Amino acid sequence: MAPHEFLCSAKILIVDDDENTLALGKTLLRTAGYTNIITALDSRQVLAHFVEEDPDIVILDVLMPHLNGFQLLELLQRSAPGGLSLPILMMTALPTPEMRHLALVGGAVDLIGKPFTAEDFVLRVRNLLNIRLAFRDVQQQNQVLFAELLNRAEEVADYQLELNEAQLEVIARLAHAGEQRDDQTGKHTQRVAVTSGLIAHGLGFSAGKVEVLQRAAPLHDVGKIGVPDSILLKAGRLTPEEIRSMQQHCAMGSDLLSGGRSEILQLAEDIALSHHEKWDGCGYPRGLRGESIPIEGRILAVADVFDALTHERPYKKAWAVEEAVAEIKLQSGRQFDPQIVEAFMALRHEELV
């Protein structure tokens, strides 16, 4: 809408308890080309007009019965939580400096004395409507800008999501490739993820935290991709040097996952580094003890050992479920966090194998 069209069609609300003043104001504005003029003789009707008509400017008399102009001004201010976005012109037969000050402090933009000339009244209304038009244009521009920023933010979020998913897919493929070298079914990481999620749920993790843990858990052994087959697939007992080489898979996995921005990759990095730490401090690679070990790493430790015990590997036969559960319970307070063992004991172990 062009400025001239806006001015002519702008909604103007005039409030005065004097019918002659209302009639005069309406006549002057119509003569000047304004067509959308609303009048209120009773100040108690103003709030309803304000809400229903959504005026572009309000002209208030100061001295009125029931509610005076300043009380109405305060009422209108309170009705707009974000602050009034339209100009207020106040009218008074006593245009003293004190009255003008009160009007401006109260939130009015201008004050005009009565009686007023036609030219003075119309010019003030026009100037205030120009302010309203400028404010409205800024609002519209801000809305367009906000919409563009929101769209850009959504695009960035979508791109970041795609990037995170791509990163996870690449890492998961590496984890799967490493896993299949010492797990013929390739299901170890999936079973560990399920068991970890069930333990976390039993510990009171939120659904969102459980999901993140279950997506991060399959990456716990990704560092095995760097362990030689001669060590990883060895059927006999490992030498001290081979044990040290095998233990490096924690740091290698953490390095491989480092730098990720997503919550899943960051958690996977922590888990890869900490899932072989022990509650009593005798684990590796950092020898952490008790609650200094990340809780997700403590959860993975139980889930990982249980699954490893109950499935055949190149270097061992599968244990019976009852034997594996007994071993987990035996290691409570030694290898494992007792609280996590307690949560594990409440699970249906046969369904985890």
Side-chain angles (χ1 to χ4, degrees):
M1 184 182 294
H4 178 71
E5 293 175 351
F6 168 77
L7 294 178
C8 291
S9 63
K11 290 183 180 181
I12 303 171
L13 173 60
I14 309 175
V15 186
D16 200 306
D17 63 315
D18 179 58
E19 292 184 359
N20 293 328
T21 301
L22 287 180
L24 176 61
K26 192 170 185 177
T27 300
L28 293 176
L29 292 173
R30 285 195 178 280
T31 302
Y34 298 101
T35 59
N36 206 341
I37 303 163
I38 308 145
T39 59
L41 191 63
D42 189 333
S43 60
R44 293 172 296 184
Q45 301 172 350
V46 171
L47 187 58
H49 282 300
F50 183 77
V51 173
E52 294 172 2
E53 301 292 346
D54 189 24
D56 294 296
I57 180 175
V58 178
I59 304 171
L60 291 176
D61 186 32
V62 172
L63 298 177
M64 294 182 290
H66 309 302
L67 294 170
N68 64 42
F70 294 123
Q71 291 172 318
L72 274 177
L73 184 56
E74 182 180 358
L75 184 62
L76 295 181
Q77 293 279 16
R78 289 182 179 179
S79 70
L84 285 175
S85 60
L86 75 166
I88 306 291
L89 171 63
M90 302 200 75
M91 304 183 294
T92 178
L94 300 171
T96 62
E98 293 79 10
M99 190 70 73
R100 181 177 298 277
H101 176 74
L102 288 173
L104 296 177
V105 169
V109 177
D110 198 1
L111 181 140
I112 186 171
K114 295 192 294 187
F116 44 73
T117 66
E119 182 180 21
D120 191 21
F121 180 73
V122 171
L123 284 175
R124 287 174 189 255
V125 170
R126 186 197 67 182
N127 290 342
L128 294 184
L129 283 174
N130 280 325
I131 293 174
R132 168 68 169 168
L133 175 61
F135 183 84
R136 194 189 67 165
D137 287 344
V138 170
Q139 278 187 317
Q140 291 176 345
Q141 291 172 7
N142 285 342
Q143 289 173 353
V144 171
L145 179 60
F146 179 76
E148 291 178 354
L149 289 174
L150 186 61
N151 185 53
R152 292 287 180 87
E154 290 175 350
E155 290 178 356
V156 170
D158 290 342
Y159 172 76
Q160 188 63 50
L161 180 61
E162 291 176 4
L163 181 61
N164 289 341
E165 292 292 343
Q167 290 175 331
L168 285 171
E169 183 177 355
V170 170
I171 299 299
R173 286 177 182 273
L174 286 174
H176 185 63
E179 176 189 33
Q180 284 191 317
R181 297 165 63 207
D182 68 339
D183 176 21
Q184 294 179 354
T185 66
K187 300 294 183 181
H188 167 69
T189 59
Q190 296 176 32
R191 292 190 300 266
V192 169
V194 171
T195 303
S196 298
L198 292 172
I199 294 173
H201 178 74
L203 291 170
F205 279 37
S206 68
K209 290 294 185 182
V210 170
E211 181 182 0
V212 171
L213 176 58
Q214 287 185 312
R215 295 192 67 181
L219 306 178
H220 68 281
D221 274 341
V222 68
K224 285 185 177 180
I225 197 75
V227 178
D229 286 347
S230 60
I231 297 175
L232 195 63
L233 304 179
K234 186 175 180 179
R237 183 181 297 275
L238 298 180
T239 67
E241 183 179 351
E242 289 172 335
I243 290 174
R244 286 192 294 272
S245 180
M246 173 67 83
Q247 290 177 346
Q248 289 176 4
H249 83 274
C250 296
M252 284 190 287
S254 177
D255 289 343
L256 182 61
L257 295 164
S258 65
R261 295 184 180 180
S262 75
E263 185 179 5
I264 294 171
L265 287 176
Q266 290 171 356
L267 179 58
E269 178 185 353
D270 288 341
I271 288 173
L273 189 61
S274 64
H275 72 284
H276 280 293
E277 300 288 356
K278 295 184 179 181
W279 183 253
D280 61 6
C282 295
Y284 63 89
R286 294 177 292 175
L288 299 181
R289 177 189 298 270
E291 293 185 358
S292 64
I293 306 168
I295 188 169
E296 295 85 358
R298 285 179 266 151
I299 291 172
L300 257 290
V302 172
D304 188 34
V305 169
F306 174 75
D307 192 77
L309 291 175
T310 53
H311 290 84
E312 185 175 351
R313 293 295 176 87
Y315 50 86
K316 64 173 256 325
K317 297 293 184 179
W319 289 28
V321 172
E322 297 79 7
E323 294 175 328
V325 171
E327 178 66 15
I328 296 292
K329 187 174 182 180
L330 179 65
Q331 294 299 326
S332 177
R334 302 176 185 175
Q335 185 172 351
F336 305 126
D337 179 346
Q339 184 181 9
I340 291 172
V341 171
E342 183 179 352
F344 170 79
M345 296 303 294
L347 303 181
R348 297 178 179 178
H349 305 112
E350 294 287 347
E351 298 177 3
L352 304 177
V353 177

